[in-house]
Amino acid sequence: MDNIIRVFIGAPSDVNPEREIIKKIINNMNKYYRGTGFSKFDLIELKKDVRSDIGSGLEAQEVIDENIGDYDLFIGILWKRFGTPTKTHESGTQQEFENALKNGKEVMFYFSKLPVAPDEIDPKQLEKILNFKNDISDEGLYFEYSSLDEFEELIENNLRILAIEKNNKEPQPTKKFEKEEKSEEKSMFELIESTLNNFKEVENDSKELSALFNSLNEDFENINPPKEDNIQSYKIYSNSVADILNELSIEFKDKKNDLLTHYSEGINGLIESLELFGEYMDDNTRQDMKKSIEAHIEVLNTTTKQMHEVIEIYDKIPPMTNKLIRAKGKFIKNIKELQKDVKNLRSLLYKSLIELNDSSK
């Protein structure tokens, strides 16, 4: 069926948590988009779809290849194991990847940078992974992640992009970012000028937010370490950390609100400009708008990466006092809320790209 995107995962057993994340995301997306006319994702699960072929004389990989059937998207994942060799390749994952390329399938490949326990390190396996990674690096076919949260963000974003490209449309954005119907008629230049002003403010908001993230380490370095090795000294130190986190939470919330306001108004203005005046825009204007949208997507990707790094660092702060526990929880909650909002903003930017392409037809 044209409205189904069949997904096949090629990966050794050491990345089963990532498999479960993909399964969860696909289930959630299918529920969310149900009834919208949007494509449904269908995950091919080996245990369910691949039949045992005992006594056929085929090796395990040949059984997989023959029984998998057609699919649209190949997702490859590697961490510490390259996998089991086949008759023709150094691993089944490598063979599945090359088959996908050869057959013109969509390909997404992910390399885990999660730590590996010393007793689980296999130098030969890691060398094979590195060689394979180098082989495909020139084609720009892979992504890297340092945590399962980051992997979930990456894979959900990439699946959303694929669905948009396949459908050439995106379901309506969440109510938070929906544009209000306006009764008065707007001129082209007035609307475009307002949109550009909002995007200019976004650049300032993003720089301020990035500076706030970068200042975190400096603020903590300026805190005097415990003078004595006793509970009271560590309590004073912990509460000083809590004070910084509380101040940052207030500042972060203000900057977050500014960013979201300017972004949503800018994007909605852009979409409205394309809907109303797209047919009057020349190719140069379209190309400039496309570059601007792609640049803002990259800004949001950078912001997302910074948020992952901040959460990773400050989630590890031990719960030494109640004040610190509350401050840390509030700070991380604010960042995670922004992560969700950034995801919505990215969807709207991709919708803008589609609107831009549609208005040229």
Side-chain angles (χ1 to χ4, degrees):
M1 292 176 62
D2 290 339
N3 214 31
I4 292 180
I5 301 174
R6 298 196 78 214
V7 182
F8 174 58
I9 303 173
S13 59
D14 61 329
V15 290
N16 280 337
E18 283 86 340
R19 285 180 179 271
E20 291 302 312
I21 286 173
I22 295 172
K23 184 177 180 180
K24 180 186 76 172
I25 288 172
I26 285 177
N27 287 338
N28 288 342
M29 289 181 71
N30 285 342
K31 288 177 184 176
Y32 181 77
Y33 292 133
R34 185 180 297 157
T36 65
F38 219 54
S39 288
K40 176 185 176 183
F41 287 94
D42 183 19
L43 180 61
I44 300 171
E45 298 183 73
L46 295 186
K47 290 180 181 178
K48 181 176 71 176
D49 294 338
V50 178
R51 303 182 300 276
S52 175
D53 219 338
I54 299 173
S56 67
L58 299 175
E59 67 164 1
Q61 190 60 45
E62 290 174 320
V63 174
I64 292 173
D65 291 343
E66 288 199 0
N67 285 272
I68 240 175
D70 195 20
Y71 61 91
D72 305 287
L73 169 65
F74 172 81
I75 299 177
I77 314 169
L78 288 174
W79 178 29
K80 59 187 177 183
R81 293 187 62 246
F82 194 51
T84 306
T86 69
K87 289 181 179 179
T88 57
H89 294 74
E90 291 197 73
S91 80
T93 301
Q94 181 187 32
Q95 183 170 333
E96 291 157 359
F97 166 78
E98 292 188 6
N99 285 344
L101 284 184
K102 183 176 65 176
N103 293 315
K105 307 300 182 184
E106 294 282 348
V107 173
M108 300 177 188
F109 214 101
Y110 300 83
F111 289 94
S112 172
K113 297 174 71 176
L114 287 163
V116 181
D119 59 342
E120 295 179 354
I121 294 175
D122 184 334
K124 291 183 179 179
Q125 288 284 308
L126 294 180
E127 182 182 8
K128 289 179 180 179
I129 292 172
L130 183 59
N131 289 338
F132 174 70
K133 184 178 178 182
N134 288 335
D135 288 342
I136 70 173
S137 62
D138 291 339
E139 300 180 57
L141 291 170
Y142 71 82
F143 304 85
E144 294 179 317
Y145 60 96
S146 302
S147 69
L148 292 179
D149 283 343
E150 186 177 2
F151 174 77
E152 183 169 352
E153 181 82 19
L154 272 173
I155 193 71
E156 184 170 356
N157 186 45
N158 290 336
L159 288 177
R160 188 186 296 273
I161 293 170
L162 177 63
I164 291 172
E165 290 174 346
K166 182 173 177 62
N167 289 268
N168 200 30
K169 64 180 180 179
E170 169 74 350
Q172 290 299 310
T174 58
K175 187 174 182 180
K176 185 169 187 178
F177 296 114
E178 283 179 352
K179 63 187 179 194
E180 297 178 0
E181 293 295 331
K182 295 187 170 54
S183 56
E184 75 269 15
E185 187 176 349
K186 290 186 176 179
S187 71
M188 180 168 68
F189 291 123
E190 181 185 49
L191 186 56
I192 291 176
E193 184 179 30
S194 173
T195 299
L196 292 175
N197 286 337
N198 276 304
F199 277 130
K200 188 173 182 180
E201 290 297 326
V202 162
E203 292 178 13
N204 295 329
D205 297 335
S206 299
K207 288 177 182 177
E208 290 179 4
L209 195 61
S210 180
L212 180 64
F213 287 139
N214 293 333
S215 70
L216 285 171
N217 288 335
E218 296 176 11
D219 290 335
F220 281 109
E221 287 175 1
N222 291 330
I223 300 176
N224 294 323
K227 295 180 179 179
E228 300 176 16
D229 191 14
N230 58 52
I231 292 177
Q232 189 60 31
S233 293
Y234 280 102
K235 187 175 180 180
I236 293 171
Y237 174 78
S238 298
N239 288 337
S240 297
V241 173
D243 288 337
I244 288 178
L245 287 176
N246 282 327
E247 291 175 8
L248 286 172
S249 288
I250 295 172
E251 190 176 355
F252 176 80
K253 193 169 183 179
D254 290 340
K255 294 187 185 303
K256 179 187 78 169
N257 290 338
D258 288 342
L259 178 73
L260 296 178
T261 298
H262 291 135
Y263 243 132
S264 58
E265 289 179 359
I267 293 171
N268 287 331
L270 175 61
I271 293 173
E272 192 172 0
S273 299
L274 292 170
E275 289 174 348
L276 296 176
F277 313 116
E279 61 184 299
Y280 303 108
M281 295 179 184
D282 58 28
D283 290 340
N284 289 334
T285 302
R286 292 178 187 282
Q287 196 60 31
D288 288 343
M289 291 182 77
K290 182 181 179 183
K291 288 179 181 177
S292 177
I293 294 170
E294 290 173 344
H296 281 289
I297 290 173
E298 188 57 37
V299 167
L300 289 179
N301 288 339
T302 300
T303 301
T304 298
K305 184 177 180 182
Q306 285 182 311
M307 288 189 288
H308 278 301
E309 292 171 352
V310 169
I311 289 176
E312 271 189 5
I313 292 171
Y314 296 100
D315 205 27
K316 294 176 183 177
I317 297 176
M320 292 185 280
T321 64
N322 289 334
K323 183 177 180 180
L324 179 57
I325 292 171
R326 288 192 295 270
K328 188 180 80 168
K330 182 180 178 182
F331 181 68
I332 291 178
K333 180 184 177 184
N334 282 332
I335 294 180
K336 288 186 174 180
E337 285 176 354
L338 180 58
Q339 283 180 317
K340 293 179 181 178
D341 291 328
V342 163
K343 193 181 297 183
N344 284 333
L345 289 171
R346 256 198 314 242
S347 294
L348 285 172
L349 284 171
Y350 288 120
K351 176 177 166 59
S352 300
L353 284 176
I354 293 169
E355 294 279 356
L356 184 61
N357 289 333
D358 286 349
S359 66
S360 65
K361 295 176 181 178

